[in-house]
Amino acid sequence: MSGVRLHSRGPSGTRRFGERIGRLLRAGDVVLLSGELGAGKTVLAQGVGRGMGIEDQIKSSSFVIMNEYQGPALRLYHADLYRLEDPEQVAELALDELAASGVLCIEWPERAGAEMPPEHLRIVLAYDGAKAREIDVIASGERYEAIVRKLRPRR
Ligand SMILES: Nc1ncnc2c1ncn2[C@@H]1O[C@H](COP(=O)(O)OP(=O)(O)O)[C@@H](O)[C@H]1O
Ligand SMILES: [Mg+2]
């Protein structure tokens, strides 16, 4: 398992980091976003969308679990499982099939129990005061280790 940690000083820093990730993604990739309410999961997902060249702003709506956005080269499926009541509902979303045809970005993946794809990029955001966040990126699987290597600061 390998990872990288980043300190964000404000929403634009988190969004920019998401953009860097978005530029590295390709069809089949899975990104899981964890952290308390307001930690910045959606802000980071908005950056991912930007990085993929998507013009529409990614939004988390209260009633729709999954939203689709078409980019120039790739489709983004953005899911927010916060309101998921039964982990079995996730099976109905057919995540594996969706992921194969685009990028899957999931907020609150822990709501789905063990239903998440085993190989993924996990991003954990934590509060560090009102404006700052600690962002940890953890790779599970070789594909995601390659992404993490590209996210590491060069020295
Ligand atoms: N460093 C930061 N990174 C991301 N969001 C931040 C940061 N500092 C303050 N914020 C604010 O925190 C909130 C994060 O909201 P959101 O991304 O919707 O959280 P989540 O999806 O995790 O519930 C936004 O209002 C944003 O402006
Ligand atoms: Mg959110």
Side-chain angles (χ1 to χ4, degrees):
M1 205 162 75
S2 64
V4 61
R5 169 172 282 191
L6 180 114
H7 189 77
S8 160
R9 294 168 190 271
S12 58
T14 300
R15 202 172 283 116
R16 272 199 305 275
F17 186 55
E19 279 183 51
R20 285 182 61 204
I21 296 172
R23 284 196 291 269
L24 298 171
L25 297 175
R26 60 188 194 207
D29 284 343
V30 178
V31 178
L32 307 181
L33 291 161
S34 296
E36 291 173 50
L37 269 181
K41 300 179 293 299
T42 300
V43 168
L44 196 140
Q46 286 167 351
V48 168
R50 279 283 166 74
M52 292 172 64
I54 292 165
E55 285 176 21
D56 289 342
Q57 170 142 304
I58 276 78
K59 294 188 191 108
S60 278
S61 73
S62 315
F63 306 105
V64 185
I65 283 184
M66 176 89 70
N67 277 304
E68 260 181 66
Y69 303 86
Q70 181 64 50
L74 275 175
R75 193 176 289 255
L76 173 66
Y77 299 94
H78 175 243
D80 186 337
L81 304 185
Y82 185 63
R83 285 177 183 78
L84 195 76
E85 281 163 12
D86 179 357
E88 287 191 4
Q89 275 180 276
V90 172
E92 290 162 28
L93 295 175
L95 295 178
D96 294 353
E97 286 162 42
L98 291 182
S101 67
V103 167
L104 194 57
C105 198
I106 304 177
E107 298 187 34
W108 294 99
E110 35 289 298
R111 288 282 198 277
E115 296 279 347
M116 287 296 112
E119 301 211 344
H120 54 249
L121 193 70
R122 177 180 296 276
I123 303 177
V124 184
L125 297 105
Y127 280 86
D128 181 14
K131 286 271 154 208
R133 302 290 188 267
E134 209 70 75
I135 306 177
D136 278 306
V137 182
I138 305 131
S140 296
E142 268 173 44
R143 159 72 188 135
Y144 301 97
E145 281 170 19
I147 293 176
V148 160
R149 280 195 292 276
K150 291 183 185 149
L151 292 172
R152 289 214 177 97
R154 304 236 158 98
R155 46 180 90 224

